[in-house]
Amino acid sequence: MGWSLGTNDASSAFGTAVAARVIKYRTAVIIIAIFVILGAFISGSHNLTSISELAVSNKVIASDDAIEAAVSDGSEASLALKSAIKASIIFFCAGLTVFVMTCLKMKVSSNQSIAGAIIGWGLFHADYTDPQVLAVNLPQIGKFFLTWILNPVGAAAISFALVFLANKFLITRLTKLAGYDKLIKIGYLVAGAFASYSIGMNSAANVTALYYDHINDGVTTNLLTDARLTATIGGLAIALGVLTFSKRVMMAVGTSIAQLSQIEGFLVIIAMALTIVLMGTFMGIPVSISQALIGAIVGAGLVKSPKNVNFKILRNIAISWVSSPLVAGILTYLAAWATKSVLS
Amino acid sequence: MFIFSTKNQKVLGCFTDHQNDVRGCFEKFEEFFRLLFSEDSPDRNALQSLKTAIDNYEEAADFELRHIVDLLSQSFLPATRSELISLVVSTDEVANHCQEIARQVYLEKIEIPKVLNADILEIISITKRQLDLMYSAVDKLLNEYNVIFRDRKILDDIRGEESKVDNIEHMLHKRIFELDITLCEKVYYRTLLGDICQISDIIEDISDQIQVMLVERET
């Protein structure tokens, strides 16, 4: 999962800069790898808790009560094994969703697929007809859905503000063409590094949250118990994807937003990164990087005129909102049904 | 606002040197035609020394061009680099054309019908004005980027001058074919006229290149 996030999502940090030959591919991947790991190490644990809580309330990760019961009857090892298998099933279903929908050329979000996969598991195993379960789960799910809307909308608003301010105050102060070039180069480096940091912060949780146990009274039934270490492992997995297999996607991302000017290009990336960091800091929920990017592109286009915006790309976000969690949820629901006798 | 590398400053310095060489070349080209049209049989030695001066300026411009291309390989972003190379190569074309035309007129001892002289000199004067406008536009692009980014009237002015040259060219074309000379001579003068007017077209192309550079940087 981390490797595929690295090959896909992390490419948005430097795609435009590499495609426009502002920064060499090799330099870009090294910067991405370093800042993804830093983002995961410094701030990655922000998002771990929300995914972990969602996983607990949807019976993917063992709850306090389940652990206590396992300790009392000496079945911690069996519970730990079940937790690992459940996490693997969730990742497999989320990964399969991304793979199949990508093959079908449908828009998909890996972040939303994981959330959908966890909820799908919970719909089978957690009793959603129980008002107590609903009281815990619905606010959590609502928070996830809220961030899915806030993410592109926030990115569009931030991007609009940045491009508007740049037009008003920055371009009028550029006296030399060489200064313009310098601004572009520095702008893309800063934006790329910041975006890499935000991706590390955002996505590391997706990679390892299900192996993390935040309930820790001396007994654990999961592989990892240290939040920072857990997030850093996720960051390392993403960095590996960037370093080994990101060129093709990076070039594709770069050319897909080529209709933007170079200044807009790096401002859009800064807006995307800022949105992701704000979402992680204030909501504690990992969001879709591609949706933040699309939102930021739309926001930049709105500065000139709404006519410049291809509103069809918003339809892609809407499709992704519905299809990614739905398909992943159905897959895990079916997997939960198939493994009921073993993992209940 | 920004600290510039010495390499970029060197490139800008060479741009100015190249422009000065091309300007010198065109000034000698203008002198060449004024001398050619001044007397019934112009002084061949004076014409030759002007032709040599044109050659020298053209050679100096070529040298600066190569220097700029070398320096550009280590400065500016790749996209800007190729735009600037294209700009300086086009500017160099002005000097190349001046040299070719002066050489042709001198070596082939062309005697241009007097009825065309005043208008040809007018074309050269307009082209010189156009060249000065183009230098100003390039200077603004390199050193007053914010000014030309907001106000592109200078580029329209360059195109306006080219239209004037175009009108005179059409008028002269018609006049040449009304002259009582052989068809071969008519075609010969028309070709020479086309070559002289080509310089104005090159300058207009340079203004278009500047326009494209600005549009590509628009947000």
Side-chain angles (χ1 to χ4, degrees):
Chain A
M1 180 57 78
W3 183 82
S4 73
L5 282 171
T7 59
N8 284 287
D9 290 359
S11 305
S12 51
F14 275 107
T16 326
V18 171
R21 292 165 63 214
V22 174
I23 290 157
K24 286 178 189 160
Y25 171 73
R26 201 176 146 166
T27 314
V29 290
I30 291 170
I31 294 173
I32 298 174
I34 291 169
F35 279 88
V36 160
I37 295 169
L38 276 177
F41 178 75
I42 296 167
S43 315
S45 53
H46 269 99
N47 294 339
L48 273 179
T49 314
S50 59
I51 295 205
S52 190
E53 280 172 359
L54 187 74
V56 170
S57 61
N58 282 284
K59 309 277 185 195
V60 178
I61 294 176
S63 64
D64 282 345
D65 296 341
I67 293 172
E68 272 174 34
V71 170
S72 63
D73 65 17
S75 62
E76 305 104 283
S78 160
L79 191 64
L81 181 66
K82 281 181 183 175
S83 288
I85 293 170
K86 285 178 199 171
S88 304
I89 290 172
I90 300 296
F91 280 136
F92 177 77
C93 292
L96 189 64
T97 304
V98 174
F99 177 74
V100 171
M101 289 179 71
T102 306
C103 288
L104 295 172
K105 296 188 175 170
M106 288 176 75
K107 296 293 164 191
V108 64
S109 158
S110 38
N111 289 283
Q112 288 163 4
S113 300
I114 288 175
I118 294 171
I119 294 165
W121 185 270
L123 283 173
F124 188 86
H125 283 289
D127 184 6
Y128 268 76
T129 55
D130 181 349
Q132 280 184 320
V133 172
L134 277 179
V136 175
N137 287 12
L138 279 186
Q140 278 181 353
I141 294 170
K143 201 174 156 189
F144 270 81
F145 277 111
L146 182 64
T147 57
W148 293 355
I149 296 166
L150 282 179
N151 177 35
V153 173
I158 293 170
S159 170
F160 182 91
L162 287 178
V163 173
F164 180 80
L165 291 173
N167 283 350
K168 198 108 181 153
F169 301 108
L170 186 64
I171 292 168
T172 50
R173 288 175 193 211
L174 287 173
T175 53
K176 291 181 189 290
L177 186 69
Y180 177 91
D181 265 24
K182 208 132 231 172
L183 172 74
I184 298 299
K185 188 147 196 169
I186 293 170
Y188 271 114
L189 274 172
V190 171
F194 183 36
S196 306
Y197 182 93
S198 73
I199 290 164
M201 172 185 176
N202 180 73
S203 303
N206 280 331
V207 183
T208 45
L210 298 183
Y211 298 116
Y212 166 69
D213 200 347
H214 73 288
I215 309 154
N216 190 11
D217 340 320
V219 181
T220 180
T221 57
N222 223 332
L223 289 172
L224 298 157
T225 53
D226 184 279
R228 180 159 282 180
L229 176 68
T230 307
T232 307
I233 291 171
L236 285 166
I238 297 170
L240 190 69
V242 173
L243 290 168
T244 54
F245 203 69
S246 61
K247 191 165 190 174
R248 206 164 64 93
V249 183
M250 203 180 280
M251 299 308 284
V253 168
T255 44
S256 73
I257 55 173
Q259 75 271 25
L260 297 175
S261 74
Q262 286 184 314
I263 289 183
E264 283 171 337
F266 74 75
L267 290 177
V268 154
I269 294 166
I270 289 175
M272 174 198 85
L274 200 54
T275 310
I276 294 168
V277 169
L278 289 174
M279 287 291 160
T281 307
F282 294 108
M283 304 293 279
I285 289 178
V287 290
S288 165
I289 287 153
S290 55
Q291 288 176 16
L293 185 63
I294 291 171
I297 292 169
V298 169
L302 283 172
V303 175
K304 230 182 242 169
S305 158
K307 286 177 191 165
N308 283 344
V309 178
N310 177 9
F311 284 101
K312 280 183 184 170
I313 59 172
L314 295 179
R315 193 187 57 190
N316 293 341
I317 295 182
I319 292 170
S320 181
W321 276 342
V322 179
S323 59
S324 307
L326 189 69
V327 174
I330 291 170
L331 283 175
T332 45
Y333 188 90
L334 292 174
W337 173 78
T339 56
K340 186 185 169 188
S341 57
V342 186
L343 295 174
S344 279
Chain B
M1 187 179 176
F2 290 97
I3 301 159
F4 301 107
S5 67
T6 34
K7 271 174 197 158
N8 284 353
Q9 280 177 331
K10 267 188 193 169
V11 172
L12 299 182
C14 289
F15 250 87
T16 310
D17 292 344
H18 182 261
Q19 283 184 357
N20 288 339
D21 290 333
V22 176
R23 187 198 297 267
C25 189
F26 194 85
E27 280 168 0
K28 291 295 167 193
F29 177 76
E30 187 184 23
E31 275 183 50
F32 181 91
F33 270 90
R34 288 198 186 281
L35 181 66
L36 186 73
F37 294 155
S38 62
E39 297 164 44
D40 283 340
S41 53
D43 179 2
R44 292 282 297 168
N45 289 334
L47 277 181
Q48 191 187 12
S49 66
L50 282 172
K51 186 188 82 67
T52 308
I54 291 170
D55 287 343
N56 291 341
Y57 273 118
E58 196 277 336
E59 202 176 310
D62 273 349
F63 175 80
E64 284 301 334
L65 170 67
R66 285 191 293 273
H67 196 191
I68 289 169
V69 171
D70 284 346
L71 284 174
L72 275 172
S73 66
Q74 298 151 12
S75 55
F76 287 96
L77 293 174
T80 312
R81 209 180 290 161
S82 57
E83 286 167 339
L84 289 178
I85 288 174
S86 165
L87 204 66
V88 77
V89 166
S90 299
T91 310
D92 200 64
E93 277 294 301
V94 171
N96 291 345
H97 258 72
C98 290
Q99 185 191 36
E100 277 171 29
I101 295 166
R103 188 176 286 176
Q104 185 192 356
V105 170
Y106 178 78
L107 293 177
E108 296 174 13
K109 297 182 181 173
I110 297 170
E111 285 181 21
I112 297 168
K114 285 198 181 306
V115 67
L116 307 177
N117 291 359
D119 288 314
I120 289 178
L121 285 179
E122 177 65 9
I123 288 173
I124 293 172
S125 293
I126 295 172
T127 309
K128 195 179 172 193
R129 270 206 308 274
Q130 210 189 354
L131 193 64
D132 287 337
L133 285 170
M134 188 269 280
Y135 285 147
S136 179
V138 172
D139 186 56
K140 280 188 164 64
L141 176 75
L142 298 174
N143 299 312
E144 291 177 88
Y145 178 77
N146 49 343
V147 174
I148 196 166
F149 192 82
R150 279 196 309 264
D151 181 10
R152 297 170 195 179
K153 186 179 169 296
I154 196 167
L155 302 177
D156 294 333
D157 292 344
I158 293 171
R159 286 182 209 115
E161 297 293 344
E162 196 275 336
S163 293
K164 288 180 196 166
V165 169
D166 227 19
N167 290 339
I168 299 173
E169 185 187 8
H170 282 136
M171 188 258 290
L172 280 182
H173 188 169
K174 192 170 168 245
R175 197 183 296 165
I176 287 168
F177 277 80
E178 285 167 356
L179 289 174
D180 188 19
I181 51 177
T182 63
L183 180 63
C184 177
E185 284 174 305
K186 287 175 184 174
V187 171
Y188 189 86
Y189 293 135
R190 186 196 63 190
T191 308
L192 180 67
L193 175 69
D195 287 344
I196 294 169
C197 293
Q198 179 75 26
I199 298 172
S200 174
D201 289 337
I202 293 169
I203 297 169
E204 193 201 20
D205 288 346
I206 294 170
S207 80
D208 289 343
Q209 286 178 32
I210 295 172
Q211 178 94 22
V212 169
M213 286 178 77
L214 294 170
V215 168
E216 285 192 345
R217 284 163 178 77
E218 267 177 8
T219 53

